[in-house]
Amino acid sequence: MASINGRTALVTGATGGLAKAIATALAREGATVVVVGRTEARAKEAVRNIRAAVPDAILEPLACDLSNQASILSAAEEFLSRHDELHVLVNAAGVFRKERHVTADGLELTFATNVMGYFLLTNLLLDALKRGASRDQGHPSRIVNIASKYSGGPSVTKIDFDDLQTAKGSYSYLRSTPPTMLGRVLLTQEFAERLRGSNVVVNAVHPGLVKNTGLLQDVGGPFRWVTNTFGKTAEKAADTAVWLATSPEAAAVTGKLWAKRKELPTPGMGSDTDARKRLWEECMRLSKIL
């Protein structure tokens, strides 16, 4: 791992689990870490917890509800009022929901958080990422999207563009969540394509099962038991994301899905350039702030 002393990183969902482990690792390497939580109180608590592990950490709390577009805009504006440059953006916030919920923006909560949140916040911070990259051509700015390896077998995961909000039929997290993971991979590819030549690289990470996080609190049941029994600790699961955010080896790689520091294939719709462009267009259409 390379030191990123003096550089600025922003990590969403950093109040617990995997994202908190990533934020802690980046702080340990010398970055100023903006710790994003759904509320100011949760972000401040995470700052205290990270500082207990890294006493000399430079940390800033930032409140942002990634399911709410007005909150995303407010958080981006607050960050930009304090920082001209951003060097590392880790999009790690996410939700699993047992029942269907609709946000204030009229979007299904899982899609709003897991896809639109990544899309909107990244777009709002792009200029800061480009400024951070231009300061030192040898050190690109990096975007790391926490995603998941989706099914490439007989029932290949697909995005139903006619039902992005999972409004048809019966709702379940098994229907709503996997397409959002594919969506993150597609957005990673599209951002990478649009940012070529900017010295900003974008990659996605499949961390695998991570035990004892709050992500599955609403779901419970066998899936949560399997995850907590066989999953990795958050610190171990954070390794590839931190490597992508800091290492010289990953400085020139963009638009890929990774696990255990190795590139993964993106089967089915994950290799469809038309699908990724269509998802981008749909996100633009659903945006109220871009």
Side-chain angles (χ1 to χ4, degrees):
M1 188 187 305
S3 172
I4 53 173
N5 188 57
R7 301 173 80 77
T8 301
L10 185 149
V11 184
T12 70
T15 56
L18 175 64
K20 183 178 174 183
I22 294 170
T24 302
L26 294 176
R28 190 171 282 118
E29 291 304 309
T32 296
V33 181
V34 180
V35 177
V36 180
R38 190 159 48 87
T39 66
E40 183 178 4
R42 293 185 65 182
K44 287 182 175 179
E45 180 182 7
V47 164
R48 289 193 294 270
N49 292 338
I50 294 171
R51 186 163 284 124
V54 188
D56 58 349
I58 305 172
L59 306 167
E60 298 177 8
L62 180 63
C64 182
D65 179 350
L66 270 295
S67 72
N68 183 291
Q69 295 189 24
S71 180
I72 294 170
L73 179 59
S74 176
E77 289 177 341
E78 183 176 344
F79 172 84
L80 294 171
S81 73
R82 302 198 302 253
H83 299 277
D84 186 56
E85 297 178 356
L86 178 61
H87 307 97
V88 176
L89 169 62
V90 181
N91 289 307
V95 296
F96 282 74
R97 283 291 181 264
K98 184 183 295 186
E99 297 179 353
R100 189 175 188 273
H101 298 273
V102 177
T103 71
D105 300 301
L107 302 177
E108 188 273 318
L109 180 66
T110 303
F111 177 82
T113 307
N114 292 359
V115 177
M116 287 296 291
Y118 280 45
F119 175 80
L120 295 171
L121 184 62
T122 302
N123 268 297
L124 291 170
L125 297 178
L126 278 184
D127 286 344
L129 286 158
K130 290 176 182 177
R131 287 191 292 268
S134 66
R135 184 180 70 169
D136 186 348
Q137 291 296 314
H139 294 85
S141 291
R142 311 191 194 200
I143 302 169
V144 180
N145 294 326
I146 304 303
S148 178
K149 183 172 64 175
Y150 53 91
S151 171
S155 57
V156 178
T157 299
K158 296 180 180 179
I159 294 175
D160 184 352
F161 286 102
D162 295 322
D163 190 25
L164 279 176
Q165 309 304 317
T166 325
K168 301 175 183 177
S170 59
Y171 178 91
S172 74
Y173 70 88
L174 293 175
R175 280 192 62 216
S176 66
T177 306
T180 67
M181 298 298 106
L182 171 58
R184 291 177 178 183
V185 172
L186 290 174
L187 288 179
T188 297
Q189 296 169 351
E190 187 64 15
F191 270 114
E193 184 63 30
R194 290 170 179 262
L195 289 168
R196 289 193 187 280
S198 68
N199 204 30
V200 179
V201 297
V202 192
N203 288 283
V205 179
H206 166 65
L209 299 178
V210 184
K211 65 171 61 178
N212 300 324
T213 74
L215 187 61
L216 301 178
Q217 186 172 353
D218 186 57
V219 174
F223 184 38
R224 184 180 180 186
W225 180 86
V226 168
T227 300
N228 288 341
T229 302
F230 299 104
K232 296 180 288 238
T233 64
E235 290 72 23
K236 288 184 177 179
D239 175 73
T240 299
V242 176
W243 176 76
L244 285 169
T246 62
S247 74
E249 298 92 332
V253 181
T254 193
K256 306 299 183 182
L257 174 64
W258 297 83
K260 299 179 180 178
R261 302 192 184 188
K262 294 183 179 180
E263 184 182 339
L264 294 178
T266 55
M269 193 178 278
S271 296
D272 187 337
T273 56
D274 290 337
R276 79 177 195 228
K277 293 180 186 302
R278 184 174 180 185
L279 179 61
W280 184 280
E281 291 168 358
E282 288 296 318
C283 288
M284 286 297 298
R285 182 180 67 82
L286 295 169
S287 168
K288 298 180 178 181
I289 61 176
L290 293 182

